[in-house]
Amino acid sequence: MRVTRLEQASGGASRETWFIGLDNGERLVLRRDPPGLARPEGMAREAVVLEAAAQAGVPVPELVDHGTDDTVLGSPYVLTRHVDGETIPRRLLRDDAYAEARAGLARELGRAAARIHRIPVPEGFPEPDPLEQLVVDYDALGDPIPAVEIAFRWLRENRPAGAGRTLVHGDFRNGNLIVDRSGLRAVLDWELVHVGDPMEDLGWLCTNAWRFGSPLPAGGFGSLDELFDGYAEVAGTRPDPEVVRWWEVLGTAKWGVICRSQAEQHLSGAHPSMELAAIGRRVCEQEYDLLVALGVPGPTPPVQVESEAADLHGRPTAAELVAATRDFLRDEVLARADGRMKFQALVAANVLSTVERELRFGAEQERRHAARLAELGFADRAAFAAALRAGEADPRNEDVAGLLWSEVFDRLAVANPKHIQSRTRGGNGA
């Protein structure tokens, strides 16, 4: 056979996805680790679990081939048959073409999750403590985040009894699903599969980041009751909403840490990538969601004050130059680009919007924040985070809560001001 099409998918910050066409009309999908960032054990687990999931009745792409030898395709890979359907969350949540599918999708996802949790647990799969592993990963970054510190304390103080020991997908969410007009066609991206509490998958699905602007908690598709009804049809037991909520809070903290970790791949030079760098600025979205979820009392967002532009360089200012370049990308480059280049141009335009807002507001924000920290006796943000971890600063205290919220509001005003507007239990600014 001959390859007649080879096209890299637009998304995928942690693994590459390629669409392949053959001269006999067959279509395949290749997923591989980025060269130089091989994780052969994870790719091998993904291949094993794809076959096991198919046998358990979970809709998944059919496995064609897999391997961990870098000399074959440059890095470990999994090759599957193509499944027709849509994966882009905003289309699934908004387009009329998927209205019928959306009506029953929350229940269908509940049934799919329950089937995943009935897959026999393979030997040798990782079985981490998700909270303690998250703390280890977070501490290794060396970049304290006050809202995450509050979440860790709450998670430890409110940890529920386990709901069992099963296989866990690990990334079961909108964006990792193929859906057509009739409903769910496949569950994708099994790279984080492990052994643990089955409610982890449900909490992750319900995390605000994966609702993409929808007010409906079950992946943006439906209610918790619909999700739990579908789960109970297969599992025979109904999930406890408070347990799922605990996992939802953990999922929000986890996605914040992952955003910062992915940015670190770029900052360290391990995997230079504009997309990974940009993801680092999304941490503040998860900080906001954590403060909302944990009921930390807060004021209304402040009016942002523009910093004074330097006289030395004159007009156009740095912010105006950045805005002009951003508009060029959006108005001219995006109109001519397609595929992955179009996606990357959109990411670049969004990055320049962030830079432009920081140039306008950043200096004044920094001045105000330093003054607020000093008022409460903290030398810097790291000292504030350390006090929250040690229990020396109480987020229920009006002044402490005010400091938390003011920092998050300022960071969102630069990174993604729309996140606050869309946060009616939905929206992640994607």
Side-chain angles (χ1 to χ4, degrees):
M1 296 183 187
R2 293 180 60 84
V3 172
T4 57
R5 178 197 180 202
L6 184 63
E7 179 184 344
Q8 187 173 4
S10 59
S14 59
R15 277 187 176 160
E16 296 178 358
T17 300
W18 295 80
F19 298 121
I20 300 170
L22 304 179
D23 59 4
N24 67 350
E26 189 168 1
R27 293 175 297 162
L28 305 175
V29 176
L30 171 73
R31 278 170 48 77
R32 72 168 188 169
D33 289 329
L37 290 175
R39 294 164 292 172
E41 298 84 0
M43 196 65 81
R45 283 194 297 269
E46 186 165 351
V48 168
V49 82
L50 277 173
E51 293 184 312
Q55 294 173 6
V58 181
V60 291
E62 180 185 348
L63 182 66
V64 174
D65 187 29
H66 65 94
T68 57
D69 185 348
D70 288 357
T71 64
V72 179
L73 290 175
S75 61
Y77 67 94
V78 166
L79 189 67
T80 65
R81 299 197 189 282
H82 185 276
V83 178
D84 287 329
E86 182 60 79
T87 61
I88 297 176
R90 291 191 177 276
R91 293 180 184 169
L92 295 177
L93 293 169
R94 289 164 175 72
D95 287 5
D96 291 341
Y98 303 104
E100 183 177 343
R102 281 195 297 272
L105 204 51
R107 282 187 176 85
E108 199 167 2
L109 291 175
R111 291 191 288 268
R115 291 190 179 100
I116 291 171
H117 302 153
R118 294 174 69 175
I119 297 173
V121 175
E123 292 291 332
F125 270 41
E127 192 170 353
D129 180 307
L131 175 54
E132 297 311 318
Q133 183 61 55
L134 182 60
V135 174
V136 169
D137 294 342
Y138 163 83
D139 284 342
L141 293 169
D143 187 7
I145 304 169
V148 172
E149 295 287 1
I150 295 170
F152 286 159
R153 286 188 66 84
W154 184 89
L155 288 164
R156 283 186 167 133
E157 292 170 359
N158 294 275
R159 189 164 193 165
R165 178 182 180 273
T166 70
L167 196 72
V168 176
H169 180 281
D171 203 6
F172 185 71
R173 61 172 177 85
N174 193 357
N176 285 341
L177 311 169
I178 297 179
V179 177
D180 65 12
R181 293 169 183 260
S182 63
L184 181 65
R185 291 292 311 280
V187 178
L188 305 176
D189 293 1
W190 295 74
E191 62 189 273
L192 300 179
V193 65
H194 60 276
V195 179
D197 190 317
M199 295 301 100
E200 179 181 348
D201 278 337
L202 298 188
W204 185 244
L205 173 68
C206 295
T207 297
N208 183 57
W210 313 125
R211 300 176 198 167
F212 295 91
S214 169
L216 301 173
F221 296 117
S223 68
L224 291 178
D225 281 340
E226 291 171 313
L227 177 68
F228 296 166
D229 286 346
Y231 192 91
E233 285 179 30
V234 175
T237 57
R238 188 177 179 82
D240 182 335
E242 287 304 310
V243 174
V244 174
R245 177 175 179 266
W246 187 90
W247 284 104
E248 183 184 330
V249 172
L250 185 135
T252 304
K254 177 181 175 181
W255 180 232
V257 174
I258 290 174
C259 287
R260 183 60 184 81
S261 298
Q262 290 190 326
E264 192 61 28
Q265 292 186 41
H266 168 81
L267 295 170
S268 68
H271 187 196
S273 162
M274 176 187 61
E275 186 181 354
L276 290 177
I279 288 172
R281 285 300 184 98
R282 296 189 56 191
V283 175
C284 58
E285 297 172 15
Q286 315 320 311
E287 294 178 76
Y288 179 88
D289 289 348
L290 285 171
L291 296 182
V292 171
L294 298 177
V296 176
T300 57
V303 175
Q304 294 295 322
V305 178
E306 292 206 21
S307 308
E308 291 186 12
D311 290 334
L312 175 63
H313 302 287
R315 301 285 298 275
T317 65
E320 289 166 338
L321 286 171
V322 168
T325 308
R326 174 202 62 204
D327 293 344
F328 165 73
L329 282 171
R330 286 183 175 167
D331 299 339
E332 298 191 41
V333 176
L334 274 171
R336 294 170 173 80
D338 55 20
R340 183 163 178 79
M341 184 54 65
K342 185 172 185 176
F343 174 79
Q344 293 290 328
L346 181 58
V347 172
N350 289 339
V351 165
L352 290 177
S353 287
T354 297
V355 175
E356 185 253 346
R357 288 188 292 265
E358 184 167 338
L359 288 168
R360 288 170 55 203
F361 304 132
E364 180 61 24
Q365 288 178 337
E366 184 66 26
R367 185 196 65 76
R368 292 200 314 263
H369 187 55
R372 288 190 295 256
L373 285 166
E375 279 181 22
L376 294 183
F378 299 113
D380 51 28
R381 186 170 185 249
F384 180 40
L388 289 166
R389 170 172 287 204
E392 296 167 359
D394 185 354
R396 294 167 296 185
N397 176 277
E398 183 178 352
D399 292 334
V400 173
L403 178 56
L404 282 163
W405 276 108
S406 62
E407 176 186 323
V408 171
F409 282 145
D410 282 353
R411 296 179 71 190
L412 277 175
V414 167
N416 181 16
K418 293 182 180 179
H419 187 76
I420 299 173
Q421 302 165 16
S422 66
R423 186 53 170 90
T424 52
R425 288 192 65 77
N428 74 345

